Amino acid sequence: QVQLVESGGGLVQAGGSLRLSCAASGRSFTNYAMGWFRQAPGKEREFVATISGSGGSNECYADSVKGRFTISRDNAKTTAYLQMNSLQSEDTAVYYCAQGRSWYGGSSRPQNYAYWGQGTQVTVSS
C-alpha cells in the first residue's frame, strides 16, 4: 500500500521560506515521478511542480512559482521536497504531494498521478 506523508507546512510571513517534505512508502520510489499541487479555499487544485523518476532530473513548474520554488527528491530517503522561497500571500493553500503513474515528470494533470498525500497547510501572512 502506497503512503505519502507531507510535513513542513506552517505559518510564515511574506518573503519568508518553507521546505515541504513528502515521505513515500509502498512501492519503488525511484521509478515514479513526484509532484506537488496546492488548493486554496474556494479554488480548484492546481499544479505547482513535478520532477521525473528513474534517475531523470526533468523538472517542471507552474509559472506562478517559477524562480521561487524548487522541487527535488532524495531517492535513498524515498522523500520528495518542495523548497519555497519569497513566499507571497497568494501561496496560501493546502499543499499535496503526489506520485505519478510513471517515471515521466512533465505532467501538470492530476489524472496522471496515482497516489496522493493528506496535505499540509501553508499560510503566508502579509
Side-chain angles (χ1 to χ4, degrees), residues 4 7 11 16 20 23 33-34 37-38 40 44 49 55 57-59 67 78-79 84 86 92-93 97 104 109 121-122:
L4 303 176
S7 61
L11 174 64
L20 305 183
M34 296 297 295
F37 290 75
R38 67 187 182 186
E44 293 186 354
S57 60
N58 183 47
E59 300 168 22
T78 66
T79 300
M84 306 185 295
S86 301
T92 295
C97 74
Y104 178 63
R109 301 177 63 199
Q121 176 70 46
V122 171

Short mmCIF file of all heavy atoms in Angstrom, two decimals, residues 4 7 11 16 20 23 33-34 37-38 40 44 49 55 57-59 67 78-79 84 86 92-93 97 104 109 121-122:
data_model
loop_
_atom_site.label_atom_id
_atom_site.label_comp_id
_atom_site.label_asym_id
_atom_site.label_seq_id
_atom_site.Cartn_x
_atom_site.Cartn_y
_atom_site.Cartn_z
N LEU A 4 1.92 8.42 1.22
CA LEU A 4 2.66 9.67 1.06
C LEU A 4 2.30 10.56 2.25
O LEU A 4 1.12 10.82 2.49
CB LEU A 4 2.27 10.37 -0.24
CG LEU A 4 2.46 9.58 -1.54
CD1 LEU A 4 1.95 10.37 -2.73
CD2 LEU A 4 3.91 9.20 -1.75
N SER A 7 4.96 16.95 5.29
CA SER A 7 5.28 17.69 6.51
C SER A 7 5.98 18.98 6.13
O SER A 7 6.40 19.15 4.98
CB SER A 7 6.15 16.85 7.45
OG SER A 7 7.38 16.53 6.81
N LEU A 11 2.93 28.53 9.33
CA LEU A 11 2.66 29.95 9.14
C LEU A 11 3.98 30.69 8.95
O LEU A 11 4.92 30.50 9.74
CB LEU A 11 1.92 30.50 10.37
CG LEU A 11 1.67 32.00 10.41
CD1 LEU A 11 0.74 32.42 9.28
CD2 LEU A 11 1.09 32.39 11.76
N GLY A 16 9.19 35.10 3.37
CA GLY A 16 9.88 34.02 4.05
C GLY A 16 9.96 32.75 3.23
O GLY A 16 9.55 32.71 2.06
N LEU A 20 8.83 21.93 2.28
CA LEU A 20 7.91 20.82 2.48
C LEU A 20 8.61 19.50 2.15
O LEU A 20 9.44 19.44 1.24
CB LEU A 20 6.68 20.97 1.59
CG LEU A 20 5.90 22.27 1.72
CD1 LEU A 20 4.67 22.23 0.81
CD2 LEU A 20 5.52 22.56 3.14
N ALA A 23 7.33 12.07 2.46
CA ALA A 23 7.92 10.75 2.66
C ALA A 23 7.02 9.70 2.02
O ALA A 23 5.83 9.62 2.33
CB ALA A 23 8.09 10.47 4.14
N ALA A 33 7.58 9.52 -11.08
CA ALA A 33 7.62 10.96 -10.93
C ALA A 33 6.92 11.38 -9.63
O ALA A 33 6.04 10.67 -9.13
CB ALA A 33 6.93 11.62 -12.11
N MET A 34 7.33 12.51 -9.12
CA MET A 34 6.69 13.10 -7.95
C MET A 34 6.22 14.51 -8.30
O MET A 34 6.88 15.22 -9.05
CB MET A 34 7.65 13.15 -6.77
CG MET A 34 8.11 11.78 -6.27
SD MET A 34 6.76 10.76 -5.62
CE MET A 34 6.24 11.73 -4.21
N PHE A 37 1.04 19.76 -5.71
CA PHE A 37 -0.14 20.54 -6.09
C PHE A 37 -0.57 21.33 -4.87
O PHE A 37 -0.13 21.07 -3.76
CB PHE A 37 -1.28 19.60 -6.53
CG PHE A 37 -1.01 18.90 -7.84
CD1 PHE A 37 -0.12 17.84 -7.91
CD2 PHE A 37 -1.65 19.30 -9.00
CE1 PHE A 37 0.14 17.19 -9.12
CE2 PHE A 37 -1.41 18.66 -10.21
CZ PHE A 37 -0.52 17.61 -10.25
N ARG A 38 -1.45 22.30 -5.10
CA ARG A 38 -1.99 23.06 -3.97
C ARG A 38 -3.44 23.45 -4.23
O ARG A 38 -3.87 23.52 -5.38
CB ARG A 38 -1.15 24.31 -3.71
CG ARG A 38 -1.21 25.36 -4.81
CD ARG A 38 -0.21 26.48 -4.52
NE ARG A 38 -0.26 27.53 -5.54
CZ ARG A 38 0.58 28.56 -5.59
NH1 ARG A 38 1.54 28.68 -4.66
NH2 ARG A 38 0.47 29.47 -6.53
N ALA A 40 -6.24 26.28 -2.70
CA ALA A 40 -6.64 27.38 -1.82
C ALA A 40 -8.15 27.32 -1.58
O ALA A 40 -8.87 26.73 -2.39
CB ALA A 40 -6.26 28.72 -2.45
N GLU A 44 -9.90 25.51 -7.26
CA GLU A 44 -9.57 24.15 -7.66
C GLU A 44 -8.11 23.84 -7.34
O GLU A 44 -7.28 24.74 -7.20
CB GLU A 44 -9.81 23.99 -9.16
CG GLU A 44 -11.28 24.08 -9.55
CD GLU A 44 -11.48 23.76 -11.02
OE1 GLU A 44 -10.50 23.59 -11.75
OE2 GLU A 44 -12.66 23.69 -11.43
N ALA A 49 4.55 21.85 -9.13
CA ALA A 49 5.84 21.42 -9.66
C ALA A 49 5.86 19.90 -9.78
O ALA A 49 5.11 19.20 -9.10
CB ALA A 49 6.98 21.88 -8.76
N GLY A 55 15.87 8.14 -12.26
CA GLY A 55 17.16 8.78 -12.41
C GLY A 55 17.16 10.04 -13.24
O GLY A 55 18.21 10.68 -13.39
N SER A 57 16.10 14.01 -14.23
CA SER A 57 16.08 15.23 -13.44
C SER A 57 15.19 16.28 -14.07
O SER A 57 15.36 17.47 -13.81
CB SER A 57 17.50 15.78 -13.28
OG SER A 57 18.04 16.06 -14.56
N ASN A 58 14.26 15.85 -14.88
CA ASN A 58 13.37 16.80 -15.52
C ASN A 58 12.44 17.42 -14.50
O ASN A 58 11.74 16.73 -13.78
CB ASN A 58 12.55 16.09 -16.59
CG ASN A 58 11.65 17.03 -17.34
OD1 ASN A 58 12.08 18.09 -17.78
ND2 ASN A 58 10.40 16.66 -17.48
N GLU A 59 12.46 18.74 -14.43
CA GLU A 59 11.61 19.46 -13.50
C GLU A 59 10.72 20.42 -14.30
O GLU A 59 11.15 21.00 -15.28
CB GLU A 59 12.46 20.28 -12.53
CG GLU A 59 13.42 19.46 -11.68
CD GLU A 59 14.42 20.32 -10.94
OE1 GLU A 59 14.14 21.53 -10.73
OE2 GLU A 59 15.48 19.81 -10.57
N GLY A 67 11.11 30.17 -10.39
CA GLY A 67 12.12 31.07 -9.85
C GLY A 67 12.06 31.25 -8.35
O GLY A 67 12.99 31.80 -7.74
N THR A 78 13.69 8.08 -0.05
CA THR A 78 12.32 7.99 -0.63
C THR A 78 11.49 9.20 -0.22
O THR A 78 10.34 9.07 0.23
CB THR A 78 11.61 6.68 -0.25
OG1 THR A 78 11.36 6.62 1.16
CG2 THR A 78 12.44 5.47 -0.67
N THR A 79 12.08 10.36 -0.41
CA THR A 79 11.43 11.60 0.00
C THR A 79 11.55 12.65 -1.10
O THR A 79 12.61 12.78 -1.72
CB THR A 79 12.04 12.14 1.30
OG1 THR A 79 11.88 11.16 2.34
CG2 THR A 79 11.38 13.44 1.73
N MET A 84 10.36 26.42 -0.86
CA MET A 84 9.56 27.58 -1.25
C MET A 84 10.19 28.84 -0.67
O MET A 84 10.28 28.98 0.55
CB MET A 84 8.12 27.42 -0.74
CG MET A 84 7.46 26.12 -1.17
SD MET A 84 5.73 26.01 -0.70
CE MET A 84 5.87 25.98 1.08
N SER A 86 10.65 33.31 -1.02
CA SER A 86 9.93 34.53 -1.40
C SER A 86 8.42 34.30 -1.40
O SER A 86 7.72 34.66 -2.35
CB SER A 86 10.39 35.01 -2.77
OG SER A 86 11.77 35.26 -2.78
N THR A 92 -0.75 30.91 -0.11
CA THR A 92 -1.51 30.26 0.96
C THR A 92 -2.43 29.20 0.39
O THR A 92 -3.25 29.48 -0.49
CB THR A 92 -2.32 31.30 1.75
OG1 THR A 92 -1.42 32.19 2.42
CG2 THR A 92 -3.22 30.62 2.77
N ALA A 93 -2.28 27.98 0.89
CA ALA A 93 -3.07 26.85 0.38
C ALA A 93 -2.71 25.60 1.16
O ALA A 93 -1.75 25.59 1.93
CB ALA A 93 -2.78 26.62 -1.11
N CYS A 97 1.40 16.39 -1.97
CA CYS A 97 2.34 15.70 -2.85
C CYS A 97 1.62 14.54 -3.52
O CYS A 97 0.61 14.03 -2.99
CB CYS A 97 3.59 15.24 -2.12
SG CYS A 97 3.39 13.82 -1.05
N TYR A 104 7.65 9.62 -15.95
CA TYR A 104 7.61 10.91 -16.64
C TYR A 104 7.22 12.02 -15.68
O TYR A 104 6.21 11.95 -15.00
CB TYR A 104 6.61 10.85 -17.78
CG TYR A 104 6.46 12.16 -18.52
CD1 TYR A 104 7.53 12.72 -19.20
CD2 TYR A 104 5.24 12.83 -18.54
CE1 TYR A 104 7.41 13.93 -19.87
CE2 TYR A 104 5.10 14.04 -19.21
CZ TYR A 104 6.18 14.58 -19.87
OH TYR A 104 6.04 15.76 -20.53
N ARG A 109 -1.16 17.46 -14.97
CA ARG A 109 -2.53 16.99 -14.85
C ARG A 109 -2.68 16.07 -13.65
O ARG A 109 -1.98 15.05 -13.55
CB ARG A 109 -2.94 16.24 -16.11
CG ARG A 109 -2.85 17.08 -17.38
CD ARG A 109 -3.20 16.24 -18.59
NE ARG A 109 -4.58 15.77 -18.53
CZ ARG A 109 -5.04 14.73 -19.24
NH1 ARG A 109 -4.25 14.10 -20.05
NH2 ARG A 109 -6.31 14.37 -19.13
N GLN A 121 -0.87 22.35 5.45
CA GLN A 121 -1.31 23.74 5.29
C GLN A 121 -0.12 24.68 5.28
O GLN A 121 0.76 24.61 6.15
CB GLN A 121 -2.25 24.13 6.43
CG GLN A 121 -2.70 25.58 6.42
CD GLN A 121 -3.65 25.89 5.29
OE1 GLN A 121 -4.61 25.15 5.03
NE2 GLN A 121 -3.41 27.00 4.59
N VAL A 122 -0.11 25.58 4.31
CA VAL A 122 0.87 26.66 4.26
C VAL A 122 0.09 27.98 4.29
O VAL A 122 -0.78 28.20 3.46
CB VAL A 122 1.72 26.59 2.99
CG1 VAL A 122 2.58 27.84 2.84
CG2 VAL A 122 2.60 25.35 3.00
#
